[in-house]
Amino acid sequence: MPSHSWMMLESESPRHRLPDDLRARDPLGGRDCGWVEQMTPFVRQFSQPGETVFDPFAGFGTTLLAARLQGRTAAGCEVDAGRISLIRERLARHGLGDGLTLLHGSCDALDGATLPDIDLCLTNVPYFGCRWTGAAAVSQLYDSRSYAQYLDGLRDVFHGVRAKLREGGHCIAMVENVRVGDRVLPQAFDLARILGALFTMVEERVLVYPHAGENDTATSHTDRRHEYALVFRKERERIDLQATSGLLDALRAHGHAFTLIGSFARWLADPQGTPPADADIRVEADAQRLDALLRWLRGEGFSITSWGDPVALPLHFNGYRGRHYFRAERIDSRGALVRLDIGYEE
Ligand SMILES: C[S@@+](CC[C@H](N)C(=O)[O-])C[C@H]1O[C@@H](n2cnc3c(N)ncnc32)[C@H](O)[C@@H]1O
Protein backbone atom coordinates (compact mmCIF):
# COMPACT_ATOMS: atom_id res chain seq x y z
CA MET A 1 0.00 0.00 0.00
CA PRO A 2 1.41 3.46 -0.83
CA SER A 3 2.42 5.59 2.14
CA HIS A 4 0.25 8.52 0.98
CA SER A 5 -2.50 9.64 3.27
CA TRP A 6 -4.91 9.26 0.33
CA MET A 7 -5.66 6.32 -1.94
CA MET A 8 -6.97 7.14 -5.41
CA LEU A 9 -9.25 4.42 -6.79
CA GLU A 10 -9.23 4.75 -10.57
CA SER A 11 -11.59 2.04 -11.77
CA GLU A 12 -13.20 -1.20 -10.76
CA SER A 13 -11.99 -4.40 -12.40
CA PRO A 14 -14.86 -6.04 -14.36
CA ARG A 15 -13.51 -9.42 -13.25
CA HIS A 16 -14.20 -8.68 -9.58
CA ARG A 17 -17.18 -6.36 -9.91
CA LEU A 18 -20.52 -7.62 -8.53
CA PRO A 19 -22.09 -9.28 -11.61
CA ASP A 20 -25.09 -7.47 -13.12
CA ASP A 21 -27.50 -10.42 -12.66
CA LEU A 22 -26.69 -10.56 -8.91
CA ARG A 23 -26.95 -6.77 -8.66
CA ALA A 24 -30.42 -6.94 -10.25
CA ARG A 25 -31.63 -9.28 -7.50
CA ASP A 26 -30.86 -6.76 -4.74
CA PRO A 27 -33.51 -4.30 -3.44
CA LEU A 28 -31.00 -1.42 -3.68
CA GLY A 29 -29.58 -2.64 -7.00
CA GLY A 30 -26.20 -3.10 -5.29
CA ARG A 31 -25.64 0.66 -5.01
CA ASP A 32 -23.98 0.23 -1.60
CA CYS A 33 -21.52 -2.34 -2.93
CA GLY A 34 -17.80 -1.52 -2.53
CA TRP A 35 -14.84 -2.44 -4.72
CA VAL A 36 -12.42 -5.32 -4.30
CA GLU A 37 -9.66 -2.81 -5.24
CA GLN A 38 -10.64 -0.73 -2.23
CA MET A 39 -10.20 -3.62 0.21
CA THR A 40 -7.20 -5.50 -1.25
CA PRO A 41 -4.38 -3.14 -0.10
CA PHE A 42 -5.74 -3.31 3.47
CA VAL A 43 -6.03 -7.10 3.39
CA ARG A 44 -2.41 -7.30 2.19
CA GLN A 45 -0.97 -4.83 4.68
CA PHE A 46 -2.89 -5.84 7.80
CA SER A 47 -3.14 -9.64 7.54
CA GLN A 48 -1.04 -12.64 6.53
CA PRO A 49 -1.98 -15.53 4.23
CA GLY A 50 -4.06 -18.10 6.11
CA GLU A 51 -5.34 -15.58 8.66
CA THR A 52 -9.02 -14.78 9.16
CA VAL A 53 -10.46 -11.55 7.77
CA PHE A 54 -13.88 -10.69 9.18
CA ASP A 55 -16.52 -8.27 7.88
CA PRO A 56 -19.36 -7.60 10.37
CA PHE A 57 -21.37 -5.85 7.58
CA ALA A 58 -20.67 -8.32 4.78
CA GLY A 59 -23.17 -6.89 2.22
CA PHE A 60 -22.29 -8.47 -1.14
CA GLY A 61 -19.10 -10.08 0.14
CA THR A 62 -16.62 -7.62 -1.42
CA THR A 63 -14.26 -7.75 1.58
CA LEU A 64 -14.66 -11.51 1.76
CA LEU A 65 -13.82 -11.89 -1.93
CA ALA A 66 -10.76 -9.62 -1.56
CA ALA A 67 -9.65 -11.75 1.41
CA ARG A 68 -10.11 -15.09 -0.39
CA LEU A 69 -8.30 -13.76 -3.51
CA GLN A 70 -5.32 -13.03 -1.22
CA GLY A 71 -5.36 -16.51 0.34
CA ARG A 72 -7.00 -15.48 3.61
CA THR A 73 -9.86 -17.25 5.34
CA ALA A 74 -13.00 -15.10 5.16
CA ALA A 75 -15.85 -14.69 7.64
CA GLY A 76 -18.74 -12.29 7.76
CA CYS A 77 -22.10 -11.39 9.28
CA GLU A 78 -25.00 -9.97 7.31
CA VAL A 79 -28.57 -9.35 8.50
CA ASP A 80 -30.17 -9.50 5.06
CA ALA A 81 -30.89 -13.09 4.00
CA GLY A 82 -31.05 -12.17 0.30
CA ARG A 83 -27.55 -10.73 0.43
CA ILE A 84 -26.23 -13.83 2.21
CA SER A 85 -27.22 -15.91 -0.80
CA LEU A 86 -25.72 -13.32 -3.20
CA ILE A 87 -22.40 -13.60 -1.34
CA ARG A 88 -22.40 -17.39 -1.59
CA GLU A 89 -23.11 -17.26 -5.29
CA ARG A 90 -20.57 -14.50 -5.99
CA LEU A 91 -17.70 -16.31 -4.26
CA ALA A 92 -18.69 -19.68 -5.76
CA ARG A 93 -18.43 -18.14 -9.28
CA HIS A 94 -14.80 -17.30 -8.44
CA GLY A 95 -14.26 -20.87 -7.19
CA LEU A 96 -13.63 -19.40 -3.72
CA GLY A 97 -16.68 -20.68 -1.86
CA ASP A 98 -14.52 -22.75 0.49
CA GLY A 99 -12.72 -21.06 3.40
CA LEU A 100 -15.80 -18.90 3.95
CA THR A 101 -17.91 -18.61 7.11
CA LEU A 102 -21.15 -16.65 6.68
CA LEU A 103 -23.44 -15.90 9.59
CA HIS A 104 -26.94 -14.57 9.21
CA GLY A 105 -27.46 -11.86 11.87
CA SER A 106 -25.72 -9.05 13.69
CA CYS A 107 -22.46 -10.16 15.29
CA ASP A 108 -23.38 -8.67 18.68
CA ALA A 109 -26.62 -10.70 18.78
CA LEU A 110 -25.01 -14.02 17.81
CA ASP A 111 -23.70 -16.48 20.35
CA GLY A 112 -19.96 -15.63 20.63
CA ALA A 113 -19.10 -19.30 20.14
CA THR A 114 -20.43 -19.22 16.56
CA LEU A 115 -18.09 -16.36 15.59
CA PRO A 116 -14.54 -17.25 14.54
CA ASP A 117 -11.44 -15.71 16.11
CA ILE A 118 -10.51 -12.67 14.02
CA ASP A 119 -7.08 -11.52 12.81
CA LEU A 120 -8.34 -8.50 10.84
CA CYS A 121 -11.74 -6.81 10.84
CA LEU A 122 -12.24 -4.91 7.58
CA THR A 123 -15.57 -3.34 6.75
CA ASN A 124 -17.61 -0.67 5.06
CA VAL A 125 -20.31 0.39 7.51
CA PRO A 126 -23.99 0.78 6.51
CA TYR A 127 -24.80 4.47 6.07
CA PHE A 128 -27.44 6.29 8.07
CA GLY A 129 -30.34 7.63 6.01
CA CYS A 130 -29.92 5.13 3.18
CA ARG A 131 -33.70 4.47 2.82
CA TRP A 132 -33.62 0.69 2.95
CA THR A 133 -36.30 -0.97 0.84
CA GLY A 134 -35.37 -4.59 1.53
CA ALA A 135 -36.73 -7.04 4.11
CA ALA A 136 -37.19 -5.71 7.65
CA ALA A 137 -34.79 -7.16 10.24
CA VAL A 138 -34.45 -6.18 13.91
CA SER A 139 -30.75 -5.27 13.72
CA GLN A 140 -30.82 -3.74 10.22
CA LEU A 141 -28.93 -0.49 10.80
CA TYR A 142 -30.16 0.89 7.46
CA ASP A 143 -33.59 0.93 9.13
CA SER A 144 -32.51 2.85 12.28
CA ARG A 145 -35.20 5.29 13.39
CA SER A 146 -32.74 7.93 14.58
CA TYR A 147 -29.08 8.82 14.26
CA ALA A 148 -28.53 8.13 17.99
CA GLN A 149 -30.06 4.66 17.62
CA TYR A 150 -27.87 4.04 14.57
CA LEU A 151 -24.69 4.98 16.48
CA ASP A 152 -25.73 2.71 19.38
CA GLY A 153 -26.14 -0.13 16.89
CA LEU A 154 -22.65 0.49 15.44
CA ARG A 155 -21.21 0.50 18.97
CA ASP A 156 -22.84 -2.85 19.76
CA VAL A 157 -21.47 -4.44 16.59
CA PHE A 158 -17.89 -3.25 17.20
CA HIS A 159 -18.14 -4.44 20.82
CA GLY A 160 -18.87 -7.88 19.36
CA VAL A 161 -15.88 -7.53 17.02
CA ARG A 162 -13.59 -6.56 19.89
CA ALA A 163 -14.45 -9.71 21.82
CA LYS A 164 -13.20 -11.93 18.97
CA LEU A 165 -10.33 -9.81 17.56
CA ARG A 166 -6.91 -11.05 18.59
CA GLU A 167 -4.61 -8.78 20.60
CA GLY A 168 -2.56 -6.77 18.07
CA GLY A 169 -5.19 -7.30 15.33
CA HIS A 170 -6.54 -4.33 13.36
CA CYS A 171 -10.07 -3.09 12.98
CA ILE A 172 -10.50 -0.97 9.84
CA ALA A 173 -13.78 0.76 9.06
CA MET A 174 -14.59 2.67 5.90
CA VAL A 175 -17.08 5.45 6.39
CA GLU A 176 -18.01 8.90 5.15
CA ASN A 177 -19.76 11.90 6.59
CA VAL A 178 -23.23 11.92 5.04
CA ARG A 179 -25.69 14.49 3.81
CA VAL A 180 -29.16 13.60 5.12
CA GLY A 181 -31.88 16.04 4.09
CA ASP A 182 -30.30 19.45 4.34
CA ARG A 183 -27.78 18.58 7.04
CA VAL A 184 -24.38 16.91 7.06
CA LEU A 185 -23.93 14.29 9.77
CA PRO A 186 -20.34 13.71 10.97
CA GLN A 187 -20.81 9.95 10.79
CA ALA A 188 -17.12 9.26 10.11
CA PHE A 189 -16.04 11.29 13.10
CA ASP A 190 -18.72 9.84 15.39
CA LEU A 191 -17.65 6.33 14.39
CA ALA A 192 -14.01 7.25 15.10
CA ARG A 193 -15.05 8.25 18.62
CA ILE A 194 -16.90 4.95 19.13
CA LEU A 195 -13.94 2.93 17.85
CA GLY A 196 -11.57 5.04 19.96
CA ALA A 197 -13.34 3.80 23.10
CA LEU A 198 -12.72 0.17 22.05
CA PHE A 199 -9.37 0.24 20.25
CA THR A 200 -6.30 2.41 19.74
CA MET A 201 -6.31 4.64 16.67
CA VAL A 202 -3.39 3.98 14.35
CA GLU A 203 -4.08 6.19 11.31
CA GLU A 204 -6.65 7.24 8.77
CA ARG A 205 -6.58 7.33 4.98
CA VAL A 206 -8.79 9.18 2.56
CA LEU A 207 -10.10 7.06 -0.30
CA VAL A 208 -10.92 9.07 -3.41
CA TYR A 209 -13.20 7.75 -6.17
CA PRO A 210 -13.57 8.94 -9.78
CA HIS A 211 -16.02 11.77 -10.46
CA ALA A 212 -19.40 10.77 -11.81
CA GLY A 213 -19.59 13.62 -14.32
CA GLU A 214 -18.80 17.27 -14.92
CA ASN A 215 -17.46 19.43 -12.15
CA ASP A 216 -20.36 21.44 -10.72
CA THR A 217 -19.00 24.88 -9.85
CA ALA A 218 -22.46 26.28 -9.02
CA THR A 219 -22.52 24.68 -5.57
CA SER A 220 -20.09 24.69 -2.68
CA HIS A 221 -21.03 21.11 -1.75
CA THR A 222 -18.53 18.32 -2.41
CA ASP A 223 -19.81 15.42 -4.50
CA ARG A 224 -18.92 13.10 -1.58
CA ARG A 225 -16.66 10.97 -3.75
CA HIS A 226 -14.34 10.39 -0.83
CA GLU A 227 -14.46 8.38 2.36
CA TYR A 228 -12.21 7.57 5.26
CA ALA A 229 -10.54 4.31 6.13
CA LEU A 230 -10.20 4.50 9.92
CA VAL A 231 -7.44 2.17 11.11
CA PHE A 232 -7.53 0.99 14.73
CA ARG A 233 -5.66 -1.73 16.62
CA LYS A 234 -6.60 -3.82 19.63
CA GLU A 235 -3.81 -3.36 22.13
CA ARG A 236 -3.20 -2.69 25.77
CA GLU A 237 -3.25 1.03 26.33
CA ARG A 238 0.06 2.49 27.62
CA ILE A 239 -0.62 4.90 30.45
CA ASP A 240 1.57 7.29 32.43
CA LEU A 241 1.95 5.21 35.60
CA GLN A 242 3.53 7.94 37.69
CA ALA A 243 0.90 10.53 36.78
CA THR A 244 -1.84 7.96 37.50
CA SER A 245 -0.42 7.27 40.99
CA GLY A 246 -0.30 11.04 41.51
CA LEU A 247 -3.94 11.35 40.50
CA LEU A 248 -5.01 8.69 43.03
CA ASP A 249 -3.11 10.55 45.79
CA ALA A 250 -4.76 13.83 44.77
CA LEU A 251 -8.23 12.23 44.82
CA ARG A 252 -7.64 11.03 48.39
CA ALA A 253 -6.25 14.41 49.42
CA HIS A 254 -9.42 16.07 48.12
CA GLY A 255 -11.65 13.72 50.12
CA HIS A 256 -13.07 11.64 47.26
CA ALA A 257 -13.74 8.19 48.74
CA PHE A 258 -12.93 5.20 46.52
CA THR A 259 -11.50 1.70 46.53
CA LEU A 260 -8.72 0.89 44.11
CA ILE A 261 -9.24 -2.49 42.47
CA GLY A 262 -7.94 -4.54 39.51
CA SER A 263 -4.69 -4.33 37.58
CA PHE A 264 -3.44 -0.99 38.95
CA ALA A 265 -3.83 -2.22 42.54
CA ARG A 266 -1.98 -5.44 41.59
CA TRP A 267 0.80 -3.48 39.89
CA LEU A 268 1.27 -1.25 42.97
CA ALA A 269 1.72 -4.44 45.02
CA ASP A 270 4.10 -5.91 42.41
CA PRO A 271 5.72 -3.23 40.20
CA GLN A 272 7.64 -5.95 38.27
CA GLY A 273 4.31 -7.36 37.02
CA THR A 274 2.40 -6.41 33.85
CA PRO A 275 1.89 -2.62 33.68
CA PRO A 276 -1.82 -1.77 33.94
CA ALA A 277 -3.75 -0.17 31.05
CA ASP A 278 -5.89 1.96 33.38
CA ALA A 279 -6.73 2.50 37.06
CA ASP A 280 -10.06 1.03 38.20
CA ILE A 281 -11.74 2.53 41.21
CA ARG A 282 -15.09 1.69 42.84
CA VAL A 283 -17.25 4.40 44.34
CA GLU A 284 -20.68 4.56 45.94
CA ALA A 285 -23.55 5.06 43.45
CA ASP A 286 -24.43 8.37 45.08
CA ALA A 287 -25.47 11.01 42.54
CA GLN A 288 -24.11 13.97 44.54
CA ARG A 289 -20.73 12.43 45.30
CA LEU A 290 -20.31 11.23 41.74
CA ASP A 291 -21.15 14.69 40.47
CA ALA A 292 -18.52 16.23 42.79
CA LEU A 293 -15.91 13.68 41.71
CA LEU A 294 -16.56 14.16 37.97
CA ARG A 295 -16.55 17.95 38.31
CA TRP A 296 -13.24 17.81 40.13
CA LEU A 297 -11.77 15.62 37.39
CA ARG A 298 -13.13 17.95 34.69
CA GLY A 299 -11.43 20.83 36.48
CA GLU A 300 -8.17 18.87 36.36
CA GLY A 301 -8.39 18.59 32.57
CA PHE A 302 -10.06 15.19 32.22
CA SER A 303 -12.69 14.32 29.65
CA ILE A 304 -15.55 12.25 31.08
CA THR A 305 -17.36 9.63 28.99
CA SER A 306 -19.86 6.85 29.47
CA TRP A 307 -19.53 4.05 26.90
CA GLY A 308 -17.79 6.50 24.58
CA ASP A 309 -20.46 9.26 24.95
CA PRO A 310 -19.40 12.59 26.46
CA VAL A 311 -20.96 13.14 29.91
CA ALA A 312 -22.52 16.55 30.55
CA LEU A 313 -22.17 18.11 34.01
CA PRO A 314 -23.95 18.66 36.35
CA LEU A 315 -24.51 14.93 36.29
CA HIS A 316 -28.02 13.62 35.63
CA PHE A 317 -27.25 10.27 37.17
CA ASN A 318 -30.56 8.60 36.30
CA GLY A 319 -29.55 8.65 32.64
CA TYR A 320 -26.48 6.52 33.45
CA ARG A 321 -28.11 3.87 35.62
CA GLY A 322 -27.22 0.39 34.41
CA ARG A 323 -24.06 1.62 32.62
CA HIS A 324 -21.80 0.63 35.57
CA TYR A 325 -18.89 3.00 35.00
CA PHE A 326 -17.60 6.38 33.82
CA ARG A 327 -14.25 6.82 32.13
CA ALA A 328 -12.04 9.85 32.85
CA GLU A 329 -9.09 10.44 30.51
CA ARG A 330 -6.46 13.11 30.21
CA ILE A 331 -3.87 13.28 27.44
CA ASP A 332 -1.14 15.85 28.00
CA SER A 333 0.83 17.78 25.41
CA ARG A 334 3.48 15.00 25.31
CA GLY A 335 0.75 12.47 24.41
CA ALA A 336 0.93 10.80 27.85
CA LEU A 337 -2.38 9.30 28.97
CA VAL A 338 -3.99 8.94 32.39
CA ARG A 339 -7.11 6.77 32.34
CA LEU A 340 -9.40 6.22 35.31
CA ASP A 341 -12.42 3.90 35.19
CA ILE A 342 -14.93 4.80 37.88
CA GLY A 343 -17.22 1.86 38.63
CA TYR A 344 -20.42 2.24 40.67
CA GLU A 345 -22.54 -0.58 42.08
CA GLU A 346 -26.33 -0.07 42.09
C1 LIG B 1 -22.31 -0.79 3.03
S1 LIG B 1 -23.09 -2.36 3.01
C2 LIG B 1 -21.67 -3.40 2.92
C3 LIG B 1 -21.26 -3.68 1.51
C4 LIG B 1 -20.00 -4.49 1.43
N1 LIG B 1 -18.85 -3.73 1.88
C5 LIG B 1 -19.74 -4.92 0.01
O1 LIG B 1 -19.16 -4.14 -0.75
O2 LIG B 1 -20.11 -6.05 -0.34
C6 LIG B 1 -23.60 -2.58 4.66
C7 LIG B 1 -24.33 -3.89 4.92
O3 LIG B 1 -24.55 -3.99 6.32
C8 LIG B 1 -25.75 -4.76 6.50
N2 LIG B 1 -26.17 -4.55 7.90
C9 LIG B 1 -26.87 -3.53 8.43
N3 LIG B 1 -26.99 -3.68 9.75
C10 LIG B 1 -26.33 -4.82 10.08
C11 LIG B 1 -26.05 -5.49 11.30
N4 LIG B 1 -26.48 -5.03 12.48
N5 LIG B 1 -25.30 -6.63 11.26
C12 LIG B 1 -24.88 -7.13 10.07
N6 LIG B 1 -25.12 -6.54 8.88
C13 LIG B 1 -25.82 -5.40 8.89
C14 LIG B 1 -26.68 -4.21 5.44
O4 LIG B 1 -27.72 -5.14 5.15
C15 LIG B 1 -25.68 -4.03 4.28
O5 LIG B 1 -25.68 -5.15 3.46
Side-chain angles (χ1 to χ4, degrees), residues 261-272:
I261 58 169
S263 55
F264 203 89
R266 285 197 295 279
W267 176 77
L268 283 179
D270 173 17
Q272 301 312 316

Side-chain angles (χ1 to χ4, degrees), residues 274-296:
T274 312
D278 56 23
D280 285 299
I281 61 171
R282 286 240 155 260
V283 299
E284 226 183 286
D286 176 281
Q288 252 181 333
R289 284 194 196 182
L290 266 167
D291 180 59
L293 170 61
L294 298 186
R295 278 172 191 255
W296 184 85

Side-chain angles (χ1 to χ4, degrees), residues 12 14 16-23 29-30 33-34 60 86 90:
E12 192 181 9
H16 298 141
R17 191 173 185 274
L18 179 67
D20 287 345
D21 62 315
L22 299 188
R23 208 171 268 273
C33 184
F60 307 90
L86 292 184
R90 184 179 187 190

Side-chain angles (χ1 to χ4, degrees), residues 18 26 28 30 32-36 38-39 55-64 77-81 83 87 90 103-108 122-127 132 138-144 153-154 157 174:
L18 179 67
D26 183 67
L28 297 186
D32 53 336
C33 184
W35 295 7
V36 168
Q38 162 196 1
M39 298 300 183
D55 186 348
F57 302 111
F60 307 90
T62 305
T63 306
L64 309 182
C77 286
E78 171 55 55
V79 283
D80 188 65
R83 290 187 172 186
I87 297 174
R90 184 179 187 190
L103 299 165
H104 182 203
S106 190
C107 76
D108 54 301
L122 179 60
T123 192
N124 211 314
V125 301
Y127 292 113
W132 175 245
V138 184
S139 318
Q140 175 55 267
L141 293 184
Y142 275 151
D143 249 354
S144 302
L154 282 182
V157 166
M174 297 184 186

